[in-house]
Amino acid sequence: GENVEQHPSTLSVQEGDSAVIKCTYSDSASNYFPWYKQELGKRPQLIIDIRSNVGEKKDQRIAVTLNKTAKHFSLHITETQPEDSAVYFCAASKGVTGGGNKLTFGTGTQLKVEL
Amino acid sequence: GAVVSQHPSRVICKSGTSVKIECRSLDFQATTMFWYRQFPKKSLMLMATSNEGSKATYEQGVEKDKFLINHASLTLSTLTVTSAHPEDSSFYICSSGGKGNQPQHFGDGTRLSIL
């Protein structure tokens, strides 16, 4: 089955700096890669996703890049703010979208943005 | 966008009690619902996939007689933790995305504490 590895497990940055979280996946058939943000005690919230026919996607301060050949994808957060502090999970799924296909999650990254 | 409503949000009960958790899709037809379990500071582990009108598919190592799943309609899936014990204490969360290009969205989760 699919295996998703995520690094680093913790990341501390100064406010205004950039943060990068990296994930690798094992199953070349995976073609949908969402990123979720989870605050303590709350549900994961989708922040950005990318499909395998695209190499990069950007939404304001958040961007995701995908390298299908190397089977890795990354989350980039620029101009970090204290409210960006949370746990971030990457995930991988087969199929056109994640709607009806199960997600395999990475182990999570605790991001702390310090003032 | 897809909205999933999950109840209850918090359950505290005695060992041996059975607990039912409900997830409802509010603005779409949830043909498939995914059930996850999350331990503190850990990732989401898929327990089972429920499909409307058919038997659920359980992940390896998940006891189907312990975690009963029912998906009798396109808007409701339930997870029943039978004869719960302290080791069943965890955060249980459902997700669904309907059909087509809908990404998965999560319910608010249920924090289960077995005394």
Side-chain angles (χ1 to χ4, degrees), chain A residues 84-105:
Chain A
D84 293 330
S85 297
V87 178
Y88 291 80
F89 292 99
C90 63
S93 175
K94 300 176 188 178
V96 175
T97 178
N101 298 284
K102 67 177 183 180
L103 295 170
T104 300
F105 283 86

Side-chain angles (χ1 to χ4, degrees), chain B residues 5-111:
Chain B
S5 175
Q6 182 172 350
H7 296 280
S9 59
R10 183 100 164 96
V11 179
I12 302 173
C13 57
K14 295 181 179 180
S15 184
T17 306
S18 291
V19 178
K20 180 186 281 189
I21 302 169
E22 294 187 350
C23 273
R24 296 179 183 274
S25 57
L26 299 184
D27 57 356
F28 67 99
Q29 293 183 329
T31 307
T32 303
M33 190 77 77
F34 300 97
W35 288 93
Y36 296 87
R37 182 174 182 174
Q38 186 177 32
F39 290 108
K41 297 186 178 181
K42 297 293 183 182
S43 187
L44 291 88
M45 298 301 297
L46 181 67
M47 298 173 64
T49 303
S50 75
N51 301 291
E52 186 268 334
S54 63
K55 290 184 178 180
T57 303
Y58 289 82
E59 296 299 303
Q60 190 172 11
V62 178
E63 299 176 59
K64 61 179 66 177
D65 294 331
K66 174 75 171 176
F67 300 100
L68 300 178
I69 289 175
N70 185 280
H71 195 151
S73 77
L74 284 171
T75 59
L76 175 63
S77 176
T78 62
L79 167 67
T80 301
V81 183
T82 62
S83 188
H85 293 285
E87 57 266 30
D88 298 323
S89 299
S90 190
F91 188 60
Y92 293 87
I93 192 164
C94 61
S95 76
S96 187
K99 298 180 180 179
N101 283 326
Q102 287 281 351
Q104 284 190 37
H105 291 268
F106 287 83
D108 285 331
T110 298
R111 186 158 302 283

